[in-house]
Amino acid sequence: MAVRGVKKLIAVLVIFLSAQFTYGQQSASVNGYISDAETGETLISANIALKDSRKGTSSNTSGYFSLTDIDPGTYTIVATYVGYQRYEQEISLEPGQSLRLDIKLDPEGFQLEEVVVESEREKEEQRNIGIAQMQTKLIKDLPSVLQSDVFRSLQLLPGVKAASDFSSGLYIRGGSPDQTLILLDRTTVYNPSHFFGFFSTFNPDAVKDVRLYKGGYPAKYGGRLGSVLTIFNKDGNRNEFEGSVSVGLLSSRASIEGPFKKGSYMLAVRRSTLEPALAILQNTTENVPDSFYFLDVNGKVNYDANENNKISLAFYAGTDNLEFPFATDAGIDLNYGNQTLSSTWTHIFSDKVFSNFTVTGSRYFNYPSINLASTPIDRSNNIYDFSLKGDIEYLPNDNHEISTGFWIGNLTLKLQDSFDGEETFSSRIQTQYGSWYIQDKWDITDQWIATPGLRIAGFSEGQYLRLEPRMALEYRPTDRIRLQGAYGRYNQFLTLISNEAFTGFDVWLTTNDGVPPAYGNQYVVGAKTIPWEGYGLDIELYYRSMNDLFELNPFISDQAGLPYEEIFRFGEGYAYGAELFFERQIGRLTGFAGYTFSVTRRKFPNFNDPINNQGTARYYPPKYDRIHDLNIVLQYDLSKRWSTTVTFNYATGQAYTKPLGRTTAFDVPTSGLSFDQLIVGRVNASRLPDYNRLDFSFSRKGTFFGMGEAEWQFQVINAYSRRNVWFYNYNLDENPAEREAIKLLPILPTISYTVDF
Amino acid sequence: MKKLIAITTVFAILSGCELYEQDEYQEYYVVESYLIANGNLQQVRLSTTNPIDETYQFEDNAISGATVEIQRLNPDSSVAEEYSYQQQQPGIYTPVNNITVKATQLYRLQVTTQNGDEISATTYVPGNFETINELEPGYVYQGQQQVELTTTPSSYITDRQTYFIFTINALDTNPNNLTPFYADQVDDDETDVEEYYVNSSGIVNEGNFEQNPDGTITLRLPWLAVAFYGSNNIIVNAIDDNLYDFLRSHDTQSGGTTLSPGEIQNIRYNVNGGIGIFGSMASDTNGTFIARP
């Protein structure tokens, strides 16, 4: 008995010790940067996996990846990215080895045949919940109003709506544009619009990565109730000099990029070329601006100091300038724009720890100046935002990916108004803001991933400190199905005064004593599936609450003399919806179809209250609430030279207020005019006619006298010239009142020519 | 049952049923009257609203045979004096006696229709104020010297700042006398020149102006307010809360603010049993001459 017992004990000890030995045997790792083999441009969210295993990851926003806790042995490492050829490489890992492998992907050549995609975790695009990615090539291929635009391309995605053909503003999941944080190279941009909202400030030639977190965004970001849009500009070709010039009807662009010792640079310039059109109009039509142009410059310089350290400097400067004498003895001058500057140090501490530290500066300026009969009305509006942020990614083991970071900054808002030479309003708010976050992407099992997170945000103007818990959960019953859910609490300390039709006067205001931050909860559930190879089918349901919304009270015509909190109105809102996204990524015909069902409501005091019970506000839909929205984008490679892109949008009508009655005040003693009044029932309770529009573009690739590649692009917007309605205007000067439909864009052909050298 | 509701909702949505329905047109009584401190009681208009798609004429919507009264109230809202009105024309009622409106007093308009429907509204007349400086006999349009008025403050029932409106009443209204900016408006927009006989600044808060050490305020008249050369009466008006609500919400309804185009909100009326405006103000008038440059 005793002998048997001892034998048992020895057996247990042997097993235990051998297990310990196996456990203690040092695991290996592989890490590095993944980039474009031709240009050296790092690739964000590329997929890297070990073939025939469940190990896989995606590269981060610096193009860096790390796979850890790998048992020593021989593997095939596989890397894929949309638009690039599949990469395979055999690697051998010794115990405890940390293999540095910088992967270079070759761009996909033209292929008519279907690309067969295999391997279990290969399609591991970082398709986390609520994220949409837009390829810059698609942005340039899409038929566009006069020139390609990042924001207008995003408006084609489910969940993202446009206010009108004239607006590039992003209305995402029931939120207004100020509920989306816009980051360019990690720096906040405060008025990302050119041409008074017609286009965004982002030059597609300069952009590398466009990523939209539609909802339920992670703890790494904060400060807005709804969404986050991160845009990274190109680093510049690290291998050879190249450039491009593009001439179009509205604007022209030029860009150059290339290597220098241990680094690269990129410079892209864009300027409107409306002067000839203006000159012609000035001779034939009245009320044409004397001068109008917009201009922007994007640049970046990268220095790869060594394997573990990179430094980059990125800047953007853009401006819009208008001089418009619109009547005798009356005119408006408007100059507004943005400038951003950021510098990032990327440091790899070890195969387990990766970090980014960035210093950012952002300025938004806006100088409208109106002169009516020698009565000057001037405004000087400036925002200065300087900040420091750091992000650290730590992979303690295979199951955890911990991210933590901070963002601290100083925000100055200066607003000065003067009327007839007298200062009527002057405000200078300087506020400090800070946040810290921690998040863990935890692979609980092979099928379950949980990402809990916490963000703490503070804002000195009003002394507000807020906790923002975040949670995301994912279940993968099979390789082709991902079931996802997310919850987050979000706060917003800023509000934007803007107009859907015109962003040239945008002003940002902050919280303060008596003006608490807006906050909301988001709940998202979804499923992302790969029904067949090369296809994707996603569905997502969301619900958002919005509380303590603060916005400028539209019924206060003059704010002078009022305490700060009295210039606002405070309200609430909610939004819910379902989005369906179906895409095909292989073959000659690619594209996607997106359908959104959405409902959003707002409620503000003294608004939409019954006329005989004023003071009891009711929920109403904002104008941009469209219940059904369908977008179809198709791209077809006709041949090696010719390709076509077609987009079709159908949406049920936006909300508008149909007046029910009218009356007039005849004897107002302060005026010689009668005051016609509309009597309304419920605000925005009627719907404009449905919106639909078909756009197409044809592009032909060729060469420019043998010196470089060239491309003609011929586009038609609104191919069947449907005159969609923007809004109705009720003219009470007519009796009975006449309703006039203000229409959106008619058929609009454009042509552009681009040379790459 | 719950399943049935859910299915019905989904079906309703998919079939395009409205989630948020518009109201039907409803007719409301409309009153209109104004009190000017130290002026006589003015007429009261009584009518109804009109459906938007029908022709609107005041005469067709006038309400006749109503009992109309304006009451001066004590601070505790009890009635101090009553002033009766009589029907002058359909929908227009005038005071039986000539009564001078007193500043810093509470007044109520009380209307009872033949049907027995009651409409009422209350206003507090702002305190009187006066210009204490002498204006120049004349000013050159857009010249170096602007019209400046130093006024005593106007009090109100709450301690809010004063809401001013400046009106310029032109006395030489020959269209050839229009200043260039307004001449252009009349030519281009086909606006009637009569609309500029009384030119208004819109609401201007007292907070725009610096207060002098003696509590007076110095206001500078912007050239934009002058539509005609020649003799002009410059009237500074301090308005009550009803006019403040009515005029600023009317401005918003006319568009151009942060509201989206087509998003229309009712005007703030402050009338019980109906809609309209019962507003008051205190005024101070100064005359001057604006010469051509």
Side-chain angles (χ1 to χ4, degrees):
Chain A
M1 276 264 290
V3 170
R4 230 193 296 165
V6 168
K7 271 190 185 168
K8 244 192 188 165
L9 186 61
I10 291 169
V12 167
L13 273 172
V14 166
I15 293 166
F16 180 70
L17 283 171
S18 61
Q20 285 283 46
F21 180 68
T22 313
Y23 186 75
Q25 193 173 39
Q26 288 180 311
S27 53
S29 67
V30 58
N31 65 88
Y33 285 98
I34 182 165
S35 57
D36 179 314
E38 284 183 4
T39 66
E41 200 70 49
T42 53
L43 302 172
I44 300 174
S45 286
N47 315 304
I48 302 101
L50 294 182
K51 199 170 175 182
D52 297 328
S53 94
R54 288 227 162 238
K55 273 209 189 302
T57 186
S58 57
S59 56
N60 67 13
T61 53
S62 300
Y64 175 79
F65 73 92
S66 181
L67 288 166
T68 60
D69 269 3
I70 306 171
D71 290 334
T74 304
Y75 299 90
T76 303
I77 190 166
V78 177
T80 56
Y81 194 61
V82 174
Y84 290 85
Q85 293 178 37
R86 176 195 169 89
Y87 168 98
E88 279 192 19
Q89 165 88 22
E90 198 178 84
I91 55 171
S92 285
L93 294 170
E94 303 295 318
Q97 179 184 12
S98 173
L99 175 68
R100 174 60 181 253
L101 178 69
D102 288 330
I103 297 174
K104 297 186 190 331
L105 298 188
D106 290 311
E108 217 164 55
F110 176 73
Q111 285 170 329
L112 278 174
E113 300 82 33
E114 290 196 6
V115 174
V116 175
V117 161
E118 53 190 326
S119 152
E120 287 120 43
R121 247 160 105 116
E122 232 176 82
K123 271 303 177 181
E124 180 74 18
E125 302 153 57
Q126 195 71 333
R127 291 165 72 202
N128 281 339
I129 195 160
I131 295 187
Q133 201 175 345
M134 178 68 68
Q135 304 296 331
T136 50
K137 183 179 180 303
L138 178 64
I139 294 170
K140 292 200 221 183
D141 286 342
L142 285 169
S144 51
V145 182
L146 300 174
Q147 66 172 31
S148 42
D149 184 64
V150 173
F151 279 23
R152 285 178 175 274
S153 306
L154 290 170
Q155 287 170 351
L156 292 168
L157 296 174
V160 184
K161 296 186 202 292
S164 73
D165 289 348
F166 305 119
S167 163
S168 63
L170 300 174
Y171 294 79
I172 302 175
R173 292 191 172 170
S176 47
D178 68 340
Q179 292 185 2
T180 300
L181 177 67
I182 315 275
L183 296 170
L184 173 64
D185 286 322
R186 303 192 176 87
T187 312
T188 309
V189 182
Y190 286 95
N191 186 348
S193 80
H194 272 313
F195 207 173
F196 316 118
F198 211 82
F199 301 108
S200 70
T201 50
F202 303 105
N203 183 347
D205 278 346
V207 164
K208 171 165 84 174
D209 187 85
V210 177
R211 187 164 313 235
L212 176 63
Y213 298 82
K214 285 187 284 184
Y217 63 84
K220 182 172 181 179
Y221 301 106
R224 298 289 188 274
L225 278 188
S227 328
V228 176
L229 176 64
T230 64
I231 297 178
F232 285 93
N233 274 347
K234 289 201 265 197
D235 295 338
N237 193 325
R238 282 178 167 80
N239 296 325
E240 60 177 4
F241 174 80
E242 65 175 353
S244 95
V245 174
S246 180
V247 176
L249 285 185
L250 171 69
S251 70
S252 298
R253 317 193 297 258
S255 67
I256 54 169
E257 53 183 295
F260 65 89
K261 188 180 167 192
K262 282 193 140 189
S264 67
Y265 64 92
M266 181 277 293
L267 185 71
V269 178
R270 179 170 61 165
R271 192 194 189 282
S272 61
T273 43
L274 286 169
E275 278 77 3
L278 282 177
I280 294 170
L281 284 170
Q282 275 158 10
N283 287 334
T284 55
T285 321
E286 282 184 15
N287 291 338
V288 172
D290 276 351
S291 150
F292 173 67
Y293 70 87
F294 68 81
L295 167 70
D296 60 44
V297 180
N298 282 277
K300 211 185 238 192
V301 176
N302 293 284
Y303 179 61
D304 300 332
N306 58 44
E307 196 170 71
N308 293 327
N309 290 285
K310 287 178 192 249
I311 298 173
S312 72
L313 184 71
F315 68 89
Y316 165 86
T319 183
D320 280 60
N321 204 299
L322 170 73
E323 285 171 22
F324 185 20
F326 57 84
T328 304
D329 203 15
I332 178 168
D333 287 354
L334 176 58
N335 177 226
Y336 80 93
N338 299 273
Q339 295 154 349
T340 66
L341 182 69
S342 68
S343 180
T344 300
W345 171 42
T346 302
H347 178 61
I348 302 173
F349 284 92
S350 73
D351 60 330
K352 289 186 191 292
V353 184
F354 175 89
S355 68
N356 267 317
F357 297 96
T358 310
V359 175
T360 79
S362 178
R363 176 180 173 229
Y364 163 61
F365 60 91
N366 188 337
Y367 302 120
S369 173
I370 302 170
N371 195 307
L372 302 172
S374 280
T375 305
I377 306 166
D378 295 316
R379 161 171 289 176
S380 163
N381 178 16
N382 279 283
I383 297 180
Y384 297 93
D385 183 359
F386 298 104
S387 76
L388 171 68
K389 50 168 83 169
D391 296 295
I392 297 172
E393 289 163 23
Y394 170 51
L395 289 84
N397 57 48
D398 203 25
N399 296 330
H400 292 272
E401 208 176 291
I402 298 176
S403 312
T404 183
F406 66 91
W407 188 5
I408 55 174
N410 187 68
L411 180 67
T412 308
L413 308 177
K414 280 167 45 170
L415 184 62
Q416 279 161 299
D417 283 342
S418 73
F419 180 82
D420 202 22
E422 292 279 338
E423 191 179 87
T424 52
F425 185 81
S426 176
S427 142
R428 183 176 184 277
I429 301 173
Q430 192 170 74
T431 179
Q432 287 74 48
Y433 61 91
S435 57
W436 171 82
Y437 73 92
I438 186 159
Q439 169 184 301
D440 179 18
K441 182 168 173 249
W442 176 20
D443 290 347
I444 306 172
T445 69
D446 278 345
Q447 291 177 312
W448 284 94
I449 304 174
T451 311
L454 179 68
R455 186 180 181 88
I456 300 174
F459 204 75
S460 72
E461 202 67 7
Q463 311 275 339
Y464 294 108
L465 188 69
R466 291 288 184 266
L467 282 180
E468 300 179 0
R470 312 277 169 89
M471 178 65 171
L473 204 57
E474 184 170 293
Y475 172 58
R476 301 181 193 204
T478 75
D479 267 336
R480 292 185 177 208
I481 299 177
R482 297 166 68 172
L483 300 173
Q484 301 165 329
Y487 161 77
R489 165 75 151 219
Y490 302 90
N491 288 279
Q492 184 159 334
F493 302 91
L494 298 175
T495 190
L496 176 66
I497 310 171
S498 183
N499 187 290
E500 170 202 305
F502 191 85
T503 62
F505 296 136
D506 280 7
V507 171
W508 286 88
L509 295 175
T510 74
T511 57
N512 207 324
D513 287 331
V515 184
Y519 68 93
N521 294 313
Q522 292 194 32
Y523 306 88
V524 192
V525 295
K528 291 193 160 56
T529 70
I530 301 173
W532 311 281
E533 292 300 341
Y535 289 81
L537 177 65
D538 302 344
I539 182 164
E540 218 161 273
L541 308 171
Y542 66 89
Y543 175 81
R544 297 179 53 193
S545 66
M546 304 171 210
N547 303 87
D548 285 351
L549 293 172
F550 60 104
E551 50 180 63
L552 193 72
N553 189 334
F555 299 98
I556 297 190
S557 44
D558 185 352
Q559 282 104 27
L562 290 173
Y564 188 72
E565 59 270 18
E566 284 183 31
I567 69 175
F568 293 99
R569 59 177 188 173
F570 299 93
E572 55 194 77
Y574 61 86
Y576 60 85
E579 294 163 13
L580 198 67
F581 183 72
F582 178 67
E583 64 174 341
R584 179 177 197 244
Q585 293 170 348
I586 50 169
R588 286 169 84 165
L589 178 69
T590 58
F592 62 85
Y595 165 75
T596 310
F597 165 79
S598 68
V599 172
T600 183
R601 296 285 184 267
R602 299 285 186 278
K603 182 164 78 168
F604 285 95
N606 300 322
F607 197 79
N608 195 32
D609 36 10
I611 200 171
N612 52 7
N613 197 2
Q614 288 185 327
T616 55
R618 299 173 290 195
Y619 279 106
Y620 67 95
K623 177 178 187 280
Y624 50 84
D625 176 50
R626 291 193 211 259
I627 301 177
H628 304 285
D629 199 338
L630 173 70
N631 279 299
I632 300 174
V633 175
L634 297 172
Q635 286 190 290
Y636 188 67
D637 293 322
L638 296 159
S639 71
K640 203 165 178 183
R641 283 195 191 285
W642 287 90
S643 64
T644 179
T645 309
V646 177
T647 66
F648 176 70
N649 174 228
Y650 174 85
T652 52
Q654 289 184 328
Y656 80 98
T657 311
K658 180 178 184 299
L660 302 176
R662 67 180 292 176
T663 185
T664 302
F666 297 91
D667 307 323
V668 179
T670 57
S671 174
L673 307 170
S674 307
F675 279 57
D676 292 317
Q677 303 147 54
L678 292 169
I679 313 297
V680 312
R682 287 173 194 261
V683 174
N684 286 355
S686 303
R687 293 282 160 169
L688 295 173
D690 294 348
Y691 176 100
N692 56 80
R693 199 179 95 189
L694 177 72
D695 306 333
F696 64 82
S697 82
F698 282 98
S699 72
R700 185 197 182 278
K701 292 186 177 41
T703 64
F704 181 70
F705 300 107
M707 288 191 289
E709 287 168 17
E711 184 176 346
W712 281 102
Q713 216 177 18
F714 171 68
Q715 306 178 354
V716 177
I717 301 299
N718 202 356
Y720 49 85
S721 202
R722 175 180 167 87
R723 299 312 306 275
N724 291 300
V725 176
W726 184 14
F727 63 93
Y728 289 125
N729 189 38
Y730 287 86
N731 186 355
L732 292 174
D733 288 341
E734 302 297 326
N735 205 350
E738 274 181 11
R739 186 183 83 171
E740 186 192 353
I742 309 300
K743 305 271 178 69
L744 293 169
L745 292 173
I747 184 169
L748 201 63
T750 58
I751 194 161
S752 71
Y753 185 63
T754 305
V755 175
D756 293 323
F757 51 88
Chain B
M1 187 58 193
K2 272 188 184 171
K3 229 184 184 176
L4 185 64
I5 292 169
I7 293 168
T8 314
T9 311
V10 170
F11 184 71
I13 290 164
L14 289 175
S15 68
C17 278
E18 287 303 320
L19 295 171
Y20 175 73
E21 300 246 356
Q22 181 54 278
D23 292 338
E24 294 291 322
Y25 168 73
Q26 205 182 328
E27 189 180 82
Y28 298 100
Y29 290 113
V30 185
V31 292
E32 184 187 359
S33 188
Y34 309 92
L35 302 176
I36 301 174
N38 299 344
N40 287 333
L41 277 182
Q42 301 203 351
Q43 70 186 25
V44 172
R45 283 182 185 259
L46 183 64
S47 60
T48 56
T49 56
N50 209 57
I52 189 71
D53 48 2
E54 290 175 18
T55 308
Y56 172 74
Q57 296 287 351
F58 175 80
E59 294 72 25
D60 297 338
N61 291 59
I63 301 279
S64 296
T67 308
V68 177
E69 191 174 80
I70 286 185
Q71 302 158 345
R72 185 171 64 80
L73 304 178
N74 292 317
D76 64 356
S77 295
S78 59
V79 177
E81 278 186 300
E82 290 169 342
Y83 314 113
S84 300
Y85 275 65
Q86 63 199 358
Q87 180 167 322
Q88 182 85 1
Q89 300 166 34
I92 298 182
Y93 300 77
T94 50
V96 170
N97 301 310
N98 271 342
I99 305 290
T100 305
V101 174
K102 296 185 180 165
T104 63
Q105 291 286 301
L106 209 54
Y107 286 86
R108 178 161 62 214
L109 169 67
Q110 190 72 42
V111 173
T112 310
T113 67
Q114 284 185 324
N115 296 344
D117 296 323
E118 293 204 4
I119 307 126
S120 69
T122 313
T123 181
Y124 181 85
V125 181
N128 273 320
F129 61 98
E130 57 172 355
T131 309
I132 59 174
N133 65 319
E134 281 280 330
L135 292 191
E136 302 293 325
Y139 296 82
V140 176
Y141 182 69
Q142 293 184 359
Q144 291 280 27
Q145 193 180 19
Q146 273 179 269
V147 180
E148 252 183 32
L149 302 150
T150 302
T151 66
T152 55
S154 164
S155 63
Y156 199 66
I157 192 169
T158 59
D159 59 4
R160 63 151 171 83
Q161 62 177 322
T162 305
Y163 300 123
F164 289 110
I165 296 181
F166 301 97
T167 54
I168 317 295
N169 287 17
L171 302 176
D172 302 329
T173 56
N174 188 320
N176 295 329
N177 271 346
L178 281 166
T179 56
F181 176 74
Y182 287 94
D184 199 35
Q185 301 298 306
V186 170
D187 287 338
D188 284 355
D189 296 347
E190 295 158 6
T191 325
D192 288 332
V193 63
E194 290 93 50
E195 290 186 15
Y196 299 118
Y197 291 173
V198 177
N199 207 20
S200 170
S201 71
I203 298 168
V204 179
N205 289 4
E206 182 183 356
N208 286 299
F209 305 104
E210 264 195 56
Q211 233 191 27
N212 301 318
D214 59 0
T216 59
I217 312 158
T218 301
L219 320 163
R220 234 173 41 183
L221 184 73
W223 292 120
L224 176 61
V226 178
F228 287 86
Y229 299 118
S231 298
N232 282 276
N233 278 341
I234 299 163
I235 309 172
V236 181
N237 304 285
I239 59 175
D240 75 326
D241 282 350
N242 292 345
L243 269 174
Y244 178 63
D245 284 345
F246 178 79
L247 293 173
R248 66 193 175 100
S249 55
H250 183 270
D251 274 348
T252 307
Q253 198 181 78
S254 312
T257 64
T258 53
L259 294 182
S260 296
E263 189 168 295
I264 305 172
Q265 154 67 13
N266 275 318
I267 288 168
R268 296 218 69 73
Y269 287 119
N270 297 327
V271 172
N272 298 316
I275 65 171
I277 173 70
F278 179 53
S280 62
M281 53 201 213
S283 298
D284 183 57
T285 304
N286 296 276
T288 190
F289 187 90
I290 307 291
R292 287 173 189 265

